[in-house]
Amino acid sequence: ASGWFGRVAHAVAASRRRRCILLWMSGGPSQIDTFDMKPDHANGGPFRPISTTVPGLQFSQHLPKLARQARHLAVLRSMATKEGDHQRATFKMRTGYLPQGPIHYPTLGSLLSKELSDGTSPLPDFVSVAPYRFLSPAAFGPGFLGPEFAPLIVGDANPVPTVPDAPTDYSQSLRVRNLRQPAGIDAVRVDARLKLLDRLEADFGAERPDVPVRSHRTAYRQAVRMMRSESVAAFDLDDEPAVVRDAYGRNQFGQGCLLARRLIERGVPFVEVSLNGADAQMQLGWDTHQNNFDTVKRLSSTLDSGWATLLADLGRLGLLESTLVIWMGEFGRTPKINPNQGRDHFPNAWSTVLAGGGVKGGQAAGRTTADGTGVADRPITTGDLLATVCGALGIDAEKQNVSNVGRPIRLVDPRATVVEGVLG
């Protein structure tokens, strides 16, 4: 029955032009302190739940703006994924597979943008804002799909203010570098240089028809097309009114969410924005083995403004119904609070969230036990989540790509099933 349900979901959504935004939470966010509160148990901690605009659905007190957007959100509270190591869990959640054997699995953005792209946009099909790739670099790359499906990366995973004690100018850090034509070089001369380069590369490629050569030519052509397109103005956040930039939050994540909206407006099929930590503490900010509650409070404030404003803005522009927003990290955090007032790695029972296009919002799917240590109803695997994502985007999860070893690989693990009731 589950396979039939997934095919129906694909058929319903296939004719719609979909886009996707992934909000990636580096380090693994605490489900009990965000979307699966346990106020009546010692594991619940000091945070209190607040009501949302959906009766019976509660979030953390530190997510008040998201609480007002709850009608758009489907909280998957019963994730059960088994992998508790950062490297392996990150790879699994971002590719759908474990890092084993010779197969180079592609990251989610490469995989989905390939399916969502119509090939006409002058902008890249996959843009990644400030990814923290140190612990699992392969989880952020195009894998066997090849370099032409790699992301355009903007922003720094560890931004440093240009002036001590001064705020970082995110309008500059999120721009694409080296897009301006060199001073003193006119368009005619640029065209002549590009034609010369193309002839040289064509001759070189004729003798060496390898993937790197083809990928280099493709990347160069795309860069030139982007340079000459008015769409590249998407990266100029100074175009936005100050009140809008303030609403998103004057931090890298907030401004990254604003950039994501501007890219989606211009037809980019997949954008990911990483929340690596509060600005004073970047990298794996959600990896809260110590001082969990102070850290999660700061992170929640950053998350709340960026994500909630993104949803409201997409709705205002008529883009939310066609844009799927995914919120997830590599795993959750232990229900039990450790002696350092922290929470440790916990893949057994945790939360992810889907919102917007293709999703039936205003609900929580699955349920954890009263103490949060296990799944009480409807365990959801990584594959199940990704199959549901494909269904929301109108992508056939059973489609195959040929891997680097010549083996056909499905977009999603064939054992996966769509989470019933989540697709709109």
Side-chain angles (χ1 to χ4, degrees), residues 115-131:
E115 301 302 319
L116 295 171
S117 173
D118 61 8
T120 62
S121 174
L123 295 176
D125 291 326
F126 175 18
V127 177
S128 180
V129 179

Side-chain angles (χ1 to χ4, degrees), residues 16 113 165 170 184 189 195 237 255 326 334 397 413:
R16 307 171 189 168
S113 64
D165 301 321
Y170 293 103
R189 194 172 179 186
K195 288 178 182 178
L237 301 185
Q255 299 303 289
I326 309 167
T334 51
D413 188 322

Side-chain angles (χ1 to χ4, degrees), residues 168-175 180 232-245 250 255 258-259 262:
T168 302
D169 183 359
Y170 293 103
S171 65
Q172 299 298 320
S173 66
L174 296 181
R175 286 180 177 171
R180 296 182 182 275
V232 78
F235 294 94
D236 188 359
L237 301 185
D238 290 337
D239 285 350
E240 293 286 339
V243 66
V244 173
R245 296 190 64 187
R250 294 282 185 159
Q255 299 303 289
L258 173 56
L259 175 58
R262 290 169 62 85

Side-chain angles (χ1 to χ4, degrees), residues 68-367:
R68 295 194 289 272
Q69 297 288 333
R71 68 189 182 281
H72 300 303
L73 274 59
V75 182
L76 311 186
R77 286 179 171 163
S78 53
M79 296 296 300
T81 55
K82 298 182 181 179
E83 292 297 332
D85 170 76
H86 282 298
Q87 189 267 339
R88 288 174 62 84
T90 297
F91 193 94
K92 185 175 182 181
M93 290 302 297
R94 293 182 59 89
T95 69
Y97 294 92
L98 287 173
Q100 56 190 6
I103 299 176
H104 304 155
Y105 294 102
T107 192
L108 197 60
S110 299
L111 199 68
L112 297 183
S113 64
K114 177 177 181 289
E115 301 302 319
L116 295 171
S117 173
D118 61 8
T120 62
S121 174
L123 295 176
D125 291 326
F126 175 18
V127 177
S128 180
V129 179
Y132 182 73
R133 298 170 290 171
F134 178 73
L135 290 180
S136 188
F140 293 81
F144 57 66
L145 294 181
E148 63 189 288
F149 295 100
L152 170 67
I153 296 174
V154 296
D156 191 341
N158 300 287
V160 177
T162 54
V163 178
D165 301 321
T168 302
D169 183 359
Y170 293 103
S171 65
Q172 299 298 320
S173 66
L174 296 181
R175 286 180 177 171
V176 182
R177 298 175 183 176
N178 303 318
L179 281 181
R180 296 182 182 275
Q181 195 165 289
I185 307 296
D186 61 23
V188 174
R189 194 172 179 186
V190 169
D191 286 341
R193 289 180 173 184
L194 289 172
K195 288 178 182 178
L196 175 60
L197 174 65
D198 193 60
R199 287 198 301 271
L200 291 172
E201 287 198 323
D203 292 342
F204 185 84
E207 298 178 3
R208 302 168 182 81
D210 299 322
V211 171
V213 176
R214 294 197 305 272
S215 298
H216 184 267
R217 293 192 75 191
T218 300
Y220 221 100
R221 287 171 177 171
Q222 185 180 52
V224 171
R225 186 170 59 172
M226 182 167 63
M227 288 173 66
R228 293 177 170 176
S229 168
E230 293 181 357
S231 295
V232 78
F235 294 94
D236 188 359
L237 301 185
D238 290 337
D239 285 350
E240 293 286 339
V243 66
V244 173
R245 296 190 64 187
D246 291 344
Y248 276 91
R250 294 282 185 159
N251 51 69
Q252 183 157 265
F253 178 76
Q255 299 303 289
C257 286
L258 173 56
L259 175 58
R261 188 218 79 197
R262 290 169 62 85
L263 292 169
I264 291 294
E265 279 185 281
R266 290 162 173 82
V268 174
F270 194 100
V271 185
E272 67 177 7
V273 185
S274 294
L275 177 49
N276 306 312
D279 278 356
Q281 178 222 350
M282 301 302 285
Q283 299 182 3
L284 291 177
W286 292 97
D287 194 29
T288 52
H289 294 282
Q290 299 178 350
N291 301 320
N292 172 82
F293 303 104
D294 290 342
T295 302
V296 171
K297 181 179 178 180
R298 293 197 306 273
L299 286 165
S300 294
S301 177
T302 299
L303 175 69
D304 195 43
S305 294
W307 187 5
T309 307
L310 173 64
L311 293 174
D313 240 5
L314 289 172
R316 176 181 60 82
L317 295 166
L319 294 170
L320 187 56
E321 291 185 0
S322 60
T323 304
L324 174 69
V325 182
I326 309 167
W327 179 85
M328 68 177 182
E330 60 263 45
F331 41 55
R333 314 301 301 182
T334 51
K336 186 176 181 180
I337 302 165
N338 68 30
N340 295 316
Q341 288 297 295
R343 298 189 190 273
D344 303 314
H345 302 180
F346 194 68
N348 298 350
W350 56 290
S351 299
T352 57
V353 182
L354 301 177
V359 170
K360 182 180 178 182
Q363 64 166 317
R367 179 169 54 87

Side-chain angles (χ1 to χ4, degrees), residues 370-400:
D371 62 0
T373 59
V375 171
D377 179 48
R378 298 169 65 186
I380 300 170
T381 67
T382 303
D384 297 340
L385 170 65
L386 299 186
T388 306
V389 165
C390 285
L393 293 171
I395 294 172
D396 183 1
E398 297 183 4
K399 184 175 179 178
Q400 297 178 338

